Amino acid sequence: MNIQELDKELLSLFEKRIALSQMGYDHRDYDDVEEALHDLEDDFNDKYGDYLENILQVIHKEYCPESDVLLPTAYLARSFKETSDGGIEVGADAGVEVELEENPIANARLLLLPSPTRVVLVVGKKKKIVWSADAE
C-alpha cells in the first residue's frame, strides 16, 4: 500500500469537504463542489476501501465490537470550523458514533484523519490515536 498516495488523496477529500462546508446551499458552486466531492469519495473507497476496512475491523473488534464497520469515508468529518489562528477544527459530531465495549453509554466516535493518515477514538474531550499509517 502506498501510504503517501493514500494520505495525499485523503487530504484532497478533506480540502473538498472544507470548501463545501464553507459554502451555503445557495452558493452558485455548491452543487458542482458537492458532486466533485461525491466522485472523490467513490474513487477513494474503490481504491482504499478494502485496506482501510480491514484496519477499521481490527479497531472495532478491540474497542467497539457491537458497532458496525462502515465505508472509510463515513469516518471523515463533514463539518469544519476555522479557529482564531487560521487552523481548521472538525465539528463535534465528526466521524462515526460507536458503542465502546468498556463504556457503552460514553459519547464515543471514530474519526479518520490525514497527515499522517490515522484513526482517532474520541470520547468526550479525550482523543486517542488507535491506528496510524506512520506505525506501519
Side-chain angles (χ1 to χ4, degrees):
M1 175 60 52
N2 185 335
I3 297 299
Q4 290 81 15
E5 192 65 29
L6 166 64
D7 195 57
K8 180 181 170 186
E9 291 185 38
L10 184 58
L11 193 54
S12 292
L13 273 176
F14 261 83
E15 289 168 350
K16 191 65 75 175
R17 283 191 175 194
I18 289 169
L20 188 65
S21 74
Q22 294 175 347
M23 293 179 185
Y25 293 116
D26 59 346
H27 191 282
R28 64 181 171 84
D29 295 329
Y30 186 90
D31 290 337
D32 292 336
V33 173
E34 184 179 43
E35 186 175 328
L37 173 61
H38 290 310
D39 290 344
L40 280 174
E41 289 173 338
D42 290 344
D43 293 345
F44 184 84
N45 283 328
D46 288 345
K47 191 169 184 179
Y48 302 106
D50 290 342
Y51 173 72
L52 290 171
E53 283 179 38
N54 287 336
I55 291 164
L56 290 164
Q57 285 177 359
V58 170
I59 293 167
H60 273 254
K61 184 176 181 182
E62 182 174 345
Y63 295 97
C64 48
E66 297 300 316
S67 299
D68 293 331
V69 175
L70 304 177
L71 288 172
T73 52
Y75 295 83
L76 300 174
R78 299 230 180 268
S79 63
F80 302 87
K81 298 182 278 187
E82 192 168 349
T83 61
S84 59
D85 64 355
I88 299 290
E89 231 176 58
V90 298
D93 61 346
V96 171
E97 188 172 350
V98 293
E99 182 181 318
L100 290 179
E101 184 172 45
E102 66 184 36
N103 186 358
I105 62 169
N107 180 18
R109 305 187 82 71
L110 285 173
L111 180 63
L112 178 61
L113 297 170
S115 297
T117 299
R118 62 201 183 278
V119 177
V120 177
L121 175 63
V122 180
V123 182
K125 295 196 181 278
K126 295 180 183 176
K127 297 175 181 129
K128 176 182 179 182
I129 297 173
V130 293
W131 176 84
S132 176
D134 283 353
E136 291 206 346

